[in-house]
Amino acid sequence: MATLKQRVLNLLHLRPLWRIALLISVGAIVFLATTDTPYPIPSAPSDKINHLIAFVELTLLTRLSWPEAKVWWYAPLLLAFGFAIEGVQANLPYRDFSMTDVAADGLGIAIGLLPWPGLRDLGKADLRNSPESM
């Protein structure tokens, strides 16, 4: 039987799962950022906390989806996504453009980039799990 650690590592290596989760998250964030909600959506009391959580999640999902990618490739793309959301919101009558939202997005990206056990070696092949190790 596989140990818990091995099961978690196997889950971390399921890149298609993380890419699908990233796509769903981007869609949900775009929907929540652009919709005029006549119904209550569970969220934090502060909009900035929502931005922070969303971009920590996006950063972690990006890191899991492409562990070999360099930070300078995806961090600017994630921040550009935050700017794009604010640009769209600036043109909506029920939303406003806010640089503090973009700052919260940037802070979320920075938190998502902090070292995390398991992500560091995710892009490297583990020789113990290869068929040649037998």
Side-chain angles (χ1 to χ4, degrees), residues 95-114:
R95 297 285 185 158
D96 295 319
F97 180 90
S98 173
M99 281 304 292
T100 55
D101 287 350
V102 176
D105 299 344
L107 182 59
I109 294 168
I111 291 170
L113 291 174
L114 291 174

Side-chain angles (χ1 to χ4, degrees), residues 125-134:
D126 188 1
L127 295 178
R128 292 177 293 181
N129 295 332
S130 68
E132 291 83 25
S133 66
M134 300 251 168

Side-chain angles (χ1 to χ4, degrees), residues 69-124:
K70 301 296 182 196
V71 172
W72 57 83
W73 175 80
Y74 60 85
L77 289 175
L78 290 171
L79 194 57
F81 177 62
F83 270 111
I85 289 172
E86 293 303 315
V88 168
Q89 287 181 345
N91 295 309
L92 297 174
Y94 46 86
R95 297 285 185 158
D96 295 319
F97 180 90
S98 173
M99 281 304 292
T100 55
D101 287 350
V102 176
D105 299 344
L107 182 59
I109 294 168
I111 291 170
L113 291 174
L114 291 174
W116 191 55
L119 282 182
R120 179 184 58 227
D121 299 326
L122 195 56
K124 299 175 185 169

Side-chain angles (χ1 to χ4, degrees), residues 51-57 59 102-113:
H51 281 264
L52 182 82
I53 291 168
F55 278 81
V56 167
E57 176 200 11
T59 305
V102 176
D105 299 344
L107 182 59
I109 294 168
I111 291 170
L113 291 174

Side-chain angles (χ1 to χ4, degrees), residues 33-49:
T34 59
T35 189
D36 182 21
T37 56
Y39 49 89
I41 295 177
S43 62
S46 170
D47 179 51
K48 306 312 174 245
I49 300 297

Side-chain angles (χ1 to χ4, degrees), residues 11-23:
L11 182 63
L12 289 175
H13 281 87
L14 291 177
R15 292 182 187 176
L17 171 72
W18 302 118
R19 291 175 182 169
I20 290 168
L22 179 63
L23 184 63

